[in-house]
Amino acid sequence: MAILINEKPHKKLYLRPLHVFGRNPLKADTPLSNSDASQIHASIRWNGKIWEIIDHSRNGTMVDGVRIKAPI
């Protein structure tokens, strides 16, 4: 398990080994309220060595203001 910390409100989020973010509360572990977010926007997974973030959106996913590359 890992903990993701949102620095602005200083909230902790406990990540599952495969953790999904998106607007659809039935499919996402962490629902997003931003209208620019996709139903299933991105996921974070532990591959046994490192955490990987995967973009599932059409709009792209940003981490610290940098757009991550979408999977091929």
Side-chain angles (χ1 to χ4, degrees):
M1 179 186 344
I3 301 172
L4 186 68
I5 299 175
N6 188 340
E7 292 180 354
K8 291 186 181 180
H10 200 71
K11 289 187 176 182
K12 293 180 181 179
L13 175 64
Y14 294 89
L15 297 176
R16 299 174 182 203
L18 174 60
H19 197 96
V20 177
F21 297 84
R23 278 195 345 238
N24 187 329
L26 300 176
K27 295 182 179 179
D29 299 305
T30 300
L32 304 173
S33 59
N34 188 320
S35 61
D36 289 335
S38 299
Q39 294 291 313
I40 298 175
H41 194 83
S43 60
I44 296 177
R45 69 177 176 200
W46 176 250
N47 73 7
K49 294 183 181 181
I50 62 170
W51 287 93
E52 300 173 320
I53 184 165
I54 300 103
D55 178 20
H56 303 288
S57 73
R58 292 183 180 178
N59 298 330
T61 298
M62 311 255 307
V63 175
D64 292 333
V66 178
R67 184 179 302 266
I68 64 166
K69 293 181 182 179
I72 297 174

